[in-house]
Amino acid sequence: MKIDLTTTLGPLTLCSPVIAASGTFGYGTETGTEVDLRRIGAVCVKGLTLLPRYGNPPPRLIETACGIMNSVGLENPGIDRFIEEILPRIPQSLKVIVNIAGGTLEDYVTLAAKVSIPRVSALEVNVSCPNVRNQCLAWGLDPTATFELTRAVKTSTHLPVIVKLTPNAPDIVEVAIAAEEGGADIVSLVNTFLALSIDVERRRPVFANTFAGLSGPAIMPIALRMVWQVSGAVSVPVIGMGGILNARDALQFLMAGASAVAVGSANLRDPAAIPAIVDGIEEFMEREAISHVSELVGAARPEGPGNRRLGQTKPRRRTGYCPEDEGADALFQSGT
Amino acid sequence: MWKQENAEVLEVKRLLDDVFWIKFKAARIAQDAAPGQFVHVLCSDHYSPFLRRPFSINRLDKDELSVLFKVVGEGTRLLSRVTPGQTLNLLGPAGRGFPVNVSGAHVLLVAGGMGVAPMPALAHRLLAQGNRVTAIIGARNARYVFEAEYMAQCGAEVLVCTDDGSAGPRLTATSMYRELRDKGDVAYACGPLAMLQEMKQCAATPLWISLETRIGCGTGLCLGCAQPSGYTEDGQVVYRKVCIDGPVFHASEVVLLED
Ligand SMILES: Cc1cc2nc3c(=O)[nH]c(=O)nc-3n(C[C@H](O)[C@H](O)[C@H](O)COP(=O)(O)OP(=O)(O)OC[C@H]3O[C@@H](n4cnc5c(N)ncnc54)[C@H](O)[C@@H]3O)c2cc1C
Ligand SMILES: Cc1cc2nc3c(=O)[nH]c(=O)nc-3n(C[C@H](O)[C@H](O)[C@H](O)COP(=O)(O)O)c2cc1C
Ligand code: FES
């Protein structure tokens, strides 16, 4: 049986349904010939900002039970150096998704315009980084802000726009709907969960920024639940991620309604994790006589694949965002 | 460029209650490896701990390499329990090692505690290239002195000192280095941060140091291993990646902040 791994996400077509998640696969230039990049749907590069950022002081990464916490702080060379020096070095066989992060709306608009060049296949708007002391996370907490930001970015690029959602939003489904209404072609979720670790000897938080982002297998069941909910509420394709380690995990996200998945923390353990996951998906498809990835999408939903909008778990509406909301307030004030 | 290899454990030696030496057959990694580089070892099949653990390449011999380590937590505890015949997934050779393209020089190697781990391969290589090698090994006490015999057999002049005087003079590695520093052309050091800091302050020649910052991916993917390396004009700290820019740095390339 011929198995076709081609994955279509609205205007974006990938050779495989597994993407390397932003910040966990560098710029796709680090693994040389040791990792078979042709199996990777796309690399989503480390978040880029207008100006270079030097990042947060160490420690930036620690392990927790079944996961990792990071506070890298968006270290990156800035968009111009990325385009001039790094982009040309990314192997041609690898599709490039550029992840952008800004403080102001104007930052995002300028970034989007700058990366709208042929070598780039899509733009991922990071409205959800917990590790920088600016508004980046704040955008993604609020449906109205997300709506406006998405709309502004859409007008400044012809590239497919992916909006990356934060699980720290009071209601991620509302934010997803707002992104769709703002014109997002695709939504991706989840970014890391805001988390805390304390050094008991020093009686201080481990990370200089107090809070850090939790990822890895520890978050998978929650991420999966969110992907299920968002897939039921929007009609644009969803990229699901959060703790995927192997093909079975990836299949769960696809069956929950994601059209593709992204793998992050697992790359830190095994830089060849993605090709292995793709192999595993292919073996599963062979065993189950499935010829196309799209047949798996939403397969676990009551309404089954190809029919997923019938099973919306939430009415499609945008409720007003209440800034007094305590949960959101705490996140705003965390200073991360 | 690093590779991944399922390496067979050839030999495990328990040197002390908490110090182990493991020899692997890892042809692909060993053939390309240079002293001071590390192997990133998958200690658990069960994602606990989740990440690999970095260890300096200790000795190198054709298709074989060894690691020398102290048990300090879960990863090293699991590693201490492996048995010959078992295979472990290694990623390496990772990082940038010590500069070994020197010859005809007098090289001082300065090791504190487990910082002796990379020195045997380094001494071996430097001697093979016609250098004179003096290795200073500082340890807590006589029991914690490792690799002195091996390095002496390779042809290095080995000087041991301990905190309690149970082997050699009662001195730290750095204070012993101070006495000899004018005799060497270059110094290579590995050990606790405080020792490296002192070495940097008193070095009389070019000094290269190997750092043990926390490592995530070990391959430059995650930016988790930041080491302060300087400041921008407006006072921001600039970082280098220990896993690919290091772990060996010229002392002037890094800002060592204790704590
Ligand atoms: C390039 C490199 C080479 C190394 N080579 C050797 C070697 O040859 N031999 C050897 O014995 N060790 C070496 N180390 C150190 C070794 O990697 C660690 O001891 C090991 O990763 C600990 O793993 P664990 O799971 O046993 O302990 P963990 O459970 O990870 O840690 C035990 C305790 O130590 C703390 N800790 C761990 N790492 C650090 C750190 N970097 N800074 C501050 N606190 C920390 C943890 O918070 C915890 O409290 C090297 C490290 C690096 C970066
Ligand atoms: C070290 C590290 C750095 C990250 N950097 C970024 C980033 O720059 N931009 C972004 O949108 N997400 C970033 N993320 C989040 C991941 O892309 C992903 O959303 C998250 O880790 C959940 O997936 P996982 O559990 O598979 O890692 C980072 C995650 C990690 C672990
Ligand atoms: S440990 Fe990941 S970049 Fe160095």
Side-chain angles (χ1 to χ4, degrees):
Chain A
M1 196 177 109
K2 179 146 170 33
I3 288 173
D4 185 4
L5 290 174
T6 309
T7 301
T8 309
L9 298 158
L12 179 65
T13 303
L14 308 176
C15 67
S16 111
V18 188
I19 297 167
S22 177
T24 64
F25 207 68
Y27 298 100
T29 57
E30 290 81 355
T31 56
T33 51
E34 272 303 295
V35 177
D36 186 359
L37 300 176
R38 293 163 309 177
R39 301 293 279 170
I40 300 180
V43 60
C44 189
V45 300
K46 174 71 191 167
L48 288 158
T49 49
L50 273 181
L51 297 175
R53 283 185 59 94
Y54 301 101
N56 291 338
R60 290 182 175 184
L61 191 104
I62 64 164
E63 285 169 293
T64 64
C66 294
I68 55 181
M69 287 171 67
N70 92 81
S71 180
V72 170
L74 283 181
E75 177 179 335
N76 79 91
I79 193 72
D80 293 332
R81 259 190 66 202
F82 167 76
I83 292 171
E84 282 157 33
E85 294 171 25
I86 299 174
L87 192 59
R89 299 197 347 250
I90 304 179
Q92 284 297 327
S93 57
L94 194 56
K95 281 210 166 153
V96 179
I97 298 174
V98 169
N99 180 285
I100 57 170
T104 64
L105 191 94
E106 290 69 39
D107 291 350
Y108 281 99
V109 166
T110 314
L111 282 161
K114 281 187 186 244
V115 298
S116 299
I117 50 180
R119 181 66 182 93
V120 177
S121 297
L123 196 65
E124 184 174 63
V125 186
N126 179 2
V127 290
S128 48
C129 182
N131 297 327
V132 288
R133 285 173 194 274
N134 63 19
Q135 295 291 302
C136 179
L137 172 63
W139 285 109
L141 293 177
D142 175 9
T144 308
T146 300
F147 172 80
E148 276 160 17
L149 182 65
T150 311
R151 204 174 46 178
V153 168
K154 265 307 273 187
T155 57
S156 52
T157 182
H158 62 275
L159 292 175
V161 170
I162 306 166
V163 175
K164 184 163 182 181
L165 307 173
T166 168
N168 303 314
D171 186 343
I172 196 170
V173 176
E174 296 295 341
V175 183
I177 292 169
E180 179 178 37
E181 289 179 351
D185 299 290
I186 300 162
V187 294
S188 61
L189 66 153
V190 296
N191 208 315
T192 53
F193 284 77
L194 206 55
L196 172 66
S197 176
I198 290 174
D199 179 333
V200 295
E201 272 78 33
R202 286 175 55 240
R203 287 169 211 178
R204 290 283 179 279
V206 168
F207 292 102
N209 255 3
T210 310
F211 297 162
L214 177 66
S215 61
I219 69 169
M220 193 188 115
I222 313 179
L224 187 63
R225 182 264 292 173
M226 290 178 169
V227 166
W228 175 286
Q229 289 176 314
V230 167
S231 304
V234 299
S235 46
V236 292
V238 171
I239 298 171
M241 72 188 102
I244 296 174
L245 293 176
N246 52 43
R248 297 192 78 80
D249 296 343
L251 287 163
Q252 291 194 54
F253 277 87
L254 296 172
M255 291 179 183
S259 298
V261 298
V263 171
S265 304
N267 299 316
L268 275 53
R269 181 180 158 90
D270 177 5
I274 296 179
I277 291 170
V278 175
D279 289 349
I281 293 174
E282 205 167 41
E283 277 162 33
F284 180 85
M285 289 169 67
E286 202 153 338
R287 207 162 59 236
E288 303 280 322
I290 293 166
S291 59
H292 201 275
V293 183
S294 61
E295 295 167 55
L296 291 164
V297 177
R301 305 184 69 88
E303 70 280 13
N307 198 19
R308 57 200 182 86
R309 289 197 54 202
L310 289 178
Q312 286 171 7
T313 51
K314 269 211 148 223
R316 283 173 56 81
R317 71 194 156 87
R318 276 181 59 212
T319 57
Y321 169 67
C322 173
E324 281 79 40
D325 183 293
E326 276 175 34
D329 238 29
L331 291 174
F332 273 121
Q333 285 164 10
S334 70
T336 64
Chain B
M1 188 69 199
W2 53 264
K3 299 169 183 70
Q4 266 192 80
E5 182 165 8
N6 289 320
E8 185 189 343
V9 175
L10 296 175
E11 201 180 334
V12 182
K13 279 193 206 155
R14 182 171 203 162
L15 303 179
L16 282 184
D17 271 0
D18 57 351
V19 178
F20 292 77
W21 182 86
I22 301 180
K23 185 163 85 176
F24 294 99
K25 184 168 177 72
R28 293 182 72 215
I29 294 174
Q31 278 163 5
D32 275 0
Q37 289 188 296
F38 66 96
V39 282
H40 212 17
V41 182
L42 206 57
C43 299
S44 161
D45 291 339
H46 306 290
Y47 303 106
S48 174
F50 184 72
L51 296 171
R52 291 169 185 262
R53 293 291 184 264
F55 299 95
S56 298
I57 293 173
N58 164 249
R59 298 185 197 175
L60 266 174
D61 184 15
K62 296 187 201 80
D63 289 355
E64 299 170 3
L65 62 85
S66 62
V67 295
L68 169 67
F69 65 96
K70 186 166 185 277
V71 175
V72 297
E74 185 59 13
T76 44
R77 193 182 62 80
L78 289 172
L79 194 58
S80 74
R81 296 192 173 173
V82 301
T83 49
Q86 221 178 310
T87 59
L88 283 185
N89 186 277
L90 308 188
L91 187 157
R96 177 179 73 163
F98 288 101
V100 285
N101 52 349
V102 281
S103 58
H106 183 188
V107 184
L108 302 183
L109 308 185
V110 186
M114 294 311 295
V116 75
M119 296 305 178
L122 180 59
H124 189 272
R125 176 72 62 92
L126 290 170
L127 287 159
Q129 282 168 201
N131 297 285
R132 176 174 166 205
V133 174
T134 302
I136 300 170
I137 302 178
R140 210 185 311 173
N141 58 47
R143 298 172 62 231
Y144 279 88
V145 176
F146 307 106
E147 298 291 21
E149 265 173 46
Y150 176 89
M151 287 200 276
Q153 274 165 22
C154 290
E157 179 188 355
V158 179
L159 303 170
V160 171
C161 55
T162 49
D163 295 347
D164 66 356
S166 54
R170 184 191 300 245
L171 281 176
T172 61
T174 323
S175 37
M176 194 169 239
Y177 166 76
R178 266 179 223 271
E179 292 172 10
L180 297 173
R181 62 186 167 186
D182 297 326
K183 297 191 181 133
D185 299 312
V186 59
Y188 296 158
C190 184
L193 190 54
M195 169 193 142
L196 298 180
Q197 210 153 18
E198 227 185 299
M199 283 291 298
K200 188 174 170 176
Q201 278 154 13
C202 73
T205 60
L207 168 68
W208 295 80
I209 56 179
S210 179
L211 299 180
E212 288 198 0
T213 321
R214 281 164 194 269
I215 302 276
C217 65
T219 52
L221 298 174
C222 73
L223 308 179
C225 59
Q227 170 66 39
S229 67
Y231 303 91
T232 60
E233 275 169 19
D234 55 344
Q236 293 189 71
V237 185
V238 178
Y239 300 97
R240 304 204 56 186
K241 295 188 269 294
V242 173
C243 74
I244 55 174
D245 300 329
V248 176
F249 292 95
H250 189 277
S252 67
E253 289 178 308
V254 286
V255 178
L256 300 177
L257 308 164
E258 253 215 273
D259 183 279

